[in-house]
Amino acid sequence: MGKVFVTRRIPSVGLERLESLHDVEVWEGQDPPPRDLLLEKVRGCSGVLSMLSDKIDAQLMDSAGPSLRGIANFAVGYNNIDFQAAKDRSVQVGNTPGVLTNATADIAVGLILAAGRCFGPAIGNVQRFEWRNWEPMMFLGQEFEGKTLGIVGMGRIGHAVAKRMHGGWGMRIVYTARDQKPEAESSFHATRLGLDDLLRQSDVVSLHCPLTDQTRNLIGARELGLMKSNAVLVNTARGEVIDQAALADALSQRRIFAAGLDVTTPEPIDRSDPLRSQAQCLILPHIGSATQEARDQMATMAANNLIAAIEGQPMPFGVTR
Ligand code: NAP
């Protein structure tokens, strides 16, 4: 039996599995555990089940000590974990790919429609009791039928968004990725482009790449300047992929039509961030994978990853890179 620290309460299906085999402590706070407490809590642990909001670095692994066998992230993205530091210490790292693909793709589609059709200002209008008449010229949005969708990062979620928007709205699909994606090309005639060409051609740009050194601030002032004035930019990847100050400028100068963000920098977004007061910027509090189905499966996968690592077996969903 090993000692395991779980940094937030997750669905019981995962916790009960872990508790049947290990000595589990769950952080019950509404907010993530403060750093010094986290360092304290992991001491002597064999496994840590972490959230994307927890910084899992060399200091934390050293605080856990030599008993540490695995870090199971309750997310598919693992940019919060210093993978090299884990490798150096023979600590396995796991994630939860696939089971949140549909949930996250649905949020991206929702943001495309909601941002493109001005849901934010329109809902605000009703809530502020400003709705007076049927207006011929108010809240005029974008249509999507037959237009071009640019997927930045044609992986699992990017593919699922392309499938929805190609099948449902007949959108032409263009994409970027470091490698060609034959399945997307055969399923919906997707065309691989360089980022600049994708930005120039797309009516909707949806971000689905992981956060890495190559993708940090991938969309900055120069890139926003290449986009069409009717373009809708959606980010369900990670906040740091967009230069947020540049996006606020582009929206205030109407250089693009609207943005829909499920992720920001930091999270929660600063009260003073100019994006908060942009009517054409719709912001959700990082709810991409927030369905009962996805979270139950993520809990089971993360628990299975930790159990395997503590037993000295390869994690079923281990990050290899
Ligand atoms: P995935 O299957 O690994 O897809 C990511 C894709 O990005 C890969 O196909 C990869 O293709 C491409 N990529 C990597 N580096 C790139 C670069 N520099 N430029 C362009 N494309 C690049 O991952 P996924 O399951 O779809 O998840 C994608 C990301 O979504 C996660 O990393 C996570 O950060 C985010 N996410 C957010 C939520 C949410 O709640 N909002 C939920 C789930 C996931 P190549 O290797 O060929 O480049």
Side-chain angles (χ1 to χ4, degrees):
M1 186 179 261
K3 201 177 145 201
V4 168
F5 185 60
V6 180
T7 67
R8 303 296 281 283
R9 176 150 290 275
I10 60 168
S12 53
V13 61
L15 278 183
E16 283 164 10
R17 227 183 118 49
L18 270 178
E19 281 162 352
S20 69
L21 295 167
H22 296 293
D23 173 13
V24 178
E25 184 179 1
V26 180
W27 175 253
E28 298 287 359
Q30 207 199 336
D31 294 323
R35 178 75 182 173
D36 50 350
L37 216 96
L38 182 60
L39 294 177
E40 178 67 42
K41 290 287 183 190
V42 299
R43 202 152 289 157
C45 278
S46 309
V48 177
L49 198 153
S50 54
M51 308 297 124
L52 51 87
S53 45
D54 302 315
K55 184 175 174 189
I56 307 293
D57 57 4
Q59 185 192 24
L60 182 135
M61 294 174 210
D62 290 341
S63 182
S67 55
L68 187 64
R69 297 276 173 274
I71 308 282
N73 222 29
F74 187 71
V76 64
Y78 51 90
N79 51 283
N80 57 309
I81 300 176
D82 184 338
F83 183 74
Q84 190 57 48
K87 207 170 163 190
D88 293 345
R89 290 159 181 77
S90 303
V91 172
Q92 292 190 62
V93 174
N95 66 347
T96 63
V99 295
L100 38 56
T101 296
N102 287 331
T104 311
D106 288 346
I107 285 289
V109 170
L111 281 172
I112 292 170
L113 301 180
R117 291 301 302 274
C118 311
F119 276 26
I123 291 169
N125 171 278
V126 176
Q127 288 181 337
R128 291 190 302 272
F129 305 99
E130 289 167 359
W131 180 19
R132 293 160 60 95
N133 296 297
W134 183 87
E135 295 283 349
M137 297 299 287
M138 263 171 69
F139 306 126
L140 302 186
Q142 304 295 324
E143 295 200 11
F144 303 104
E145 188 75 33
K147 291 191 179 170
T148 298
L149 168 62
I151 299 284
V152 176
M154 182 63 90
R156 285 172 292 254
I157 300 170
H159 189 101
V161 173
K163 178 180 158 197
R164 285 158 170 73
M165 298 309 291
H166 180 72
W169 281 262
M171 289 191 86
R172 171 184 169 244
I173 307 297
V174 296
Y175 74 96
T176 65
R178 292 166 305 175
D179 296 327
Q180 202 151 0
K181 306 296 175 195
E183 202 191 326
E185 300 195 2
S186 61
S187 303
F188 20 79
H189 314 294
T191 306
R192 183 166 165 231
L193 298 176
L195 180 63
D196 287 4
D197 283 334
L198 177 144
L199 295 171
R200 284 191 194 99
Q201 293 184 25
S202 298
D203 300 285
V204 175
V205 175
S206 196
L207 306 180
H208 301 289
C209 53
L211 174 62
T212 63
D213 290 343
Q214 289 79 47
T215 63
R216 191 177 299 279
N217 288 328
L218 188 69
I219 307 297
R222 190 190 74 82
E223 290 72 25
L224 290 158
L226 298 175
M227 291 174 67
K228 295 183 179 184
S229 57
N230 71 318
V232 176
L233 174 65
V234 165
N235 188 8
T236 58
R238 286 289 182 264
E240 291 90 338
V241 178
I242 296 182
D243 174 345
Q244 244 162 240
L247 176 60
D249 278 352
L251 286 168
S252 67
Q253 293 164 26
R254 302 193 179 187
R255 276 190 266 117
I256 67 169
F257 183 76
L261 311 177
D262 184 45
V263 287
T264 61
T265 317
E267 292 185 358
I269 192 168
D270 283 339
R271 281 179 162 272
S272 60
D273 193 299
L275 278 179
R276 286 174 61 110
S277 50
Q278 284 293 330
Q280 283 297 73
C281 186
L282 198 61
I283 303 175
L284 298 178
H286 202 148
I287 58 168
S289 66
T291 65
Q292 192 66 55
E293 292 96 323
R295 294 281 165 86
D296 280 351
Q297 292 181 82
M298 289 163 70
T300 302
M301 282 170 95
N304 287 342
N305 273 343
L306 263 196
I307 290 165
I310 296 169
E311 284 172 357
Q313 302 298 322
M315 287 181 167
F317 294 93
V319 172
T320 48
R321 280 225 272 221

